[in-house]
Amino acid sequence: MHNPLAIKNGRVIDPSQSVDRVTDLLIIDGKIAQIGHLDQLPDNTKEFDASNLIVSPGFVDIHTHLREPGEEHKETIATGTAAAAKGGFTTVCAMPNTDPPLDTRSAIEFVKNKATREGTIRVLTIGCVTKGRAGIELSDMADLASAGVIGFSDDGSPVVDPNLMRQALSYSKGLGLPIINHCEVLELTNRGSMNEGWISTRLGLQGIPNSSETVMVSRDIELAETTGGHVHIAHVSTAGSLELIRRAKQNGIHVTCEVTPHHLTLTDDIIMSTKAGQDIYAPLTAYAYDTSAKVSPPLRLDSDVQAMVAGIEDNTIDCIATDHAPHSTIDKNCTFQEAAFGISVLETALGSTMSLFHDHGIPIPILIEKLTAGPTTLIGSNLGTLKERHQADITIFDPYASWVVDPSTFVSGGKNTPLSGKTLRGKVVATFLSGTKIYCDPETFSNDSQRTIGAT
């Protein structure tokens, strides 16, 4: 039992209730007790001054790679959840491409127990679609569901066999859980390592065409229509895929999708360390072949990025998910072709997302919805809200604070980010899980004696 906590004078934004106003928030026994001006406070109430800050539900990430078990040299549940808290996330959904994969009840229970003992935030689990993620035989989906998974995915690998995907969608429909597919036709990817285009040609790298994604997105939409199952398209990256999803939704097909911060903000130009429209014959710099920008699906063209931004604006995209994919230095300190796919995102997600507000004028409440109510709607939880009597998972941030990305300061074991040295605007000030402070920004509090936070 902790002392009551009053968060005062913040701009409280809760899309789940259409709340957006400067007011106060009272937390008692780890739950939201009241939203509104607080004239009188219970005895022993601690106060947090949130003046000029935004107070929102804790962010929820439905696509996180925690790497444990099996690849603890890249990330652990302890380091990954601490990084999430620093990034404003109070809940993450652990992807199952671990070693061993999360295809059995015992594997699911291992992650849940480990998270309870060593995690900073709440960890939900996603089970495998197929045994061993081998794409041959369905996992025991009913047993995984009873163990508490919030969906099924072979992420990192697509479900290649269309008949198996059809069976998975049919079976999962009865369980009320989504199939989360990594949409990639491997024959079209053809061992490529970046987006197919003039930059891949200039760099002499095998390109990955947009069709490698859109062909499978089209297939999965058709199968969702046939079965009535719920297919969730992970990390959508192409304008073509998004248009297919938009039409499917208009036709009542149960399809949802997510987009990552990097596919919303970065293009394949960054791999060549150049800018769109620059002379393609200009000499390459020492920053070309940036392996930290190698990710699957690859960073695409500016036209695809603009399509993703439009998908946020018109609500075709249901949520923003990090696809946090930490790697060790050796995984990236090699040739581009040999480098691992993936970007460490949890600690930069807010700053990247806020660029849609600063650069495109997308209202902050829309962006918060994509980080809170949007993902929780998909996984059927009561998280991502500041409704009374719900868990007091809260993120407080300054949307205007500028900071320079320095991977050496990352809490995550993965320092692999193409944003190193870049200036982002939007910084998490404090994160609360069930009313308990799990992170506060030391610079904010050391530089502003007006802010106070009670011990929790």
Side-chain angles (χ1 to χ4, degrees):
M1 301 290 288
H2 299 293
N3 291 332
L5 173 66
I7 299 173
K8 305 270 289 185
N9 307 314
R11 180 184 172 188
V12 178
I13 300 178
D14 181 8
S16 74
Q17 304 181 82
S18 300
V19 171
D20 183 359
R21 65 181 185 272
V22 176
T23 189
D24 305 330
L25 195 63
L26 179 64
I27 296 99
I28 298 177
D29 294 339
K31 295 187 177 182
I32 304 296
Q34 181 182 344
I35 296 180
H37 181 67
L38 301 173
D39 291 317
Q40 294 183 335
L41 298 176
D43 292 341
N44 302 315
T45 297
K46 303 295 184 179
E47 294 188 38
F48 182 104
D49 179 16
S51 298
N52 302 313
L53 300 175
I54 290 176
V55 180
S56 82
F59 302 156
V60 177
D61 186 15
I62 64 169
H63 193 141
T64 308
H65 297 275
L66 294 178
R67 303 301 190 201
E68 191 174 5
E71 293 185 304
E72 289 83 356
H73 63 290
K74 297 182 179 183
E75 189 80 282
T76 64
I77 290 172
T79 60
T81 56
K86 184 180 176 183
F89 293 91
T90 53
T91 301
V92 296
C93 301
M95 278 292 175
N97 58 332
T98 51
D99 185 16
L102 306 186
D103 62 350
T104 63
R105 174 181 287 269
S106 61
I108 296 297
E109 290 178 347
F110 169 84
V111 171
K112 293 170 70 174
N113 292 335
K114 189 87 167 181
T116 299
R117 294 194 309 270
E118 302 178 10
T120 304
I121 65 168
R122 184 181 297 102
V123 176
L124 305 179
T125 51
I126 297 171
C128 293
V129 177
T130 65
K131 293 182 179 179
R133 297 177 51 250
I136 297 173
E137 182 182 0
L138 289 181
S139 63
D140 190 342
M141 297 168 70
D143 193 44
L144 293 177
S146 67
V149 302
I150 55 87
F152 305 96
S153 180
D154 281 354
D155 189 62
S157 300
V159 179
V160 173
D161 186 332
N163 188 49
L164 199 63
M165 184 63 171
R166 177 177 179 171
Q167 293 175 34
L169 283 165
S170 296
Y171 202 46
S172 65
K173 179 185 178 183
L175 299 171
L177 299 174
I179 299 294
I180 305 166
N181 200 20
H182 171 119
C183 288
E184 178 183 14
V185 178
L186 299 177
E187 292 83 356
L188 290 171
T189 298
N190 193 25
R191 298 182 297 279
S193 55
M194 68 168 293
N195 183 62
E196 182 179 88
W198 73 266
I199 292 180
S200 65
T201 301
R202 175 73 171 87
L203 294 175
L205 295 172
Q206 177 71 36
I208 301 172
N210 284 19
S211 57
S212 67
E213 177 179 292
T214 56
V215 168
M216 188 166 284
V217 169
S218 178
R219 181 205 75 171
D220 286 354
I221 289 172
E222 290 287 336
L223 292 175
E225 182 177 28
T226 298
T227 61
H230 176 189
V231 63
H232 179 78
I233 308 301
H235 41 53
V236 64
S237 71
T238 75
S241 295
L242 200 60
E243 184 57 28
L244 289 168
I245 294 167
R246 182 178 288 112
R247 293 177 183 176
K249 287 188 170 191
Q250 292 169 352
N251 291 329
I253 300 172
H254 200 177
V255 56
T256 55
C257 69
E258 66 192 44
V259 67
T260 70
H262 39 283
H263 289 112
L264 277 167
T265 57
L266 301 178
T267 69
D268 59 356
D269 297 308
I270 200 170
I271 297 171
M272 199 168 73
S273 185
T274 185
K275 295 181 179 179
Q278 184 172 320
D279 181 4
I280 64 173
Y281 300 109
L284 297 176
T285 72
Y287 299 100
Y289 298 95
D290 183 4
T291 59
S292 66
K294 183 178 179 182
V295 65
S296 179
L299 300 177
R300 304 287 189 179
L301 301 178
D302 183 66
S303 57
D304 294 301
V305 170
Q306 296 309 313
M308 298 303 110
V309 173
I312 293 288
E313 291 182 295
D314 70 11
N315 207 36
T316 300
I317 294 173
D318 297 273
C319 61
I320 295 172
T322 70
D323 192 12
H324 173 71
H327 287 291
S328 63
T329 301
I330 197 171
D331 294 315
K332 291 288 191 177
N333 192 16
C334 53
T335 68
F336 200 90
Q337 294 95 323
E338 294 172 318
F341 289 97
I343 298 174
S344 183
V345 183
L346 285 170
E347 292 164 77
T348 61
L350 176 66
S352 293
T353 298
M354 281 299 107
S355 71
L356 274 69
F357 165 67
H358 295 297
D359 299 338
H360 298 277
I362 296 179
I364 291 177
I366 290 178
L367 300 177
I368 291 178
E369 192 274 337
K370 299 304 178 187
L371 291 166
T372 58
T376 56
T377 298
L378 299 179
I379 62 178
S381 77
N382 292 320
L383 305 173
T385 182
L386 298 177
K387 292 179 181 178
E388 292 184 7
R389 296 184 295 278
H390 283 65
Q391 294 296 319
D393 295 347
I394 301 166
T395 299
I396 302 176
F397 66 94
D398 184 343
Y400 297 99
S402 296
W403 59 286
V404 178
V405 178
D406 179 1
S408 69
T409 67
F410 281 8
V411 177
S412 170
K415 317 299 181 185
N416 47 301
T417 174
L419 298 176
S420 179
K422 307 293 185 184
T423 298
L424 300 180
R425 295 180 70 190
K427 190 175 189 181
V428 175
V429 171
T431 310
F432 295 83
L433 179 71
S434 298
T436 297
K437 174 180 64 73
I438 55 174
Y439 171 78
C440 67
D441 175 49
E443 291 187 8
T444 300
F445 290 96
S446 64
N447 294 334
D448 186 353
S449 60
Q450 297 296 314
R451 302 200 190 282
T452 59
I453 184 169
T456 55

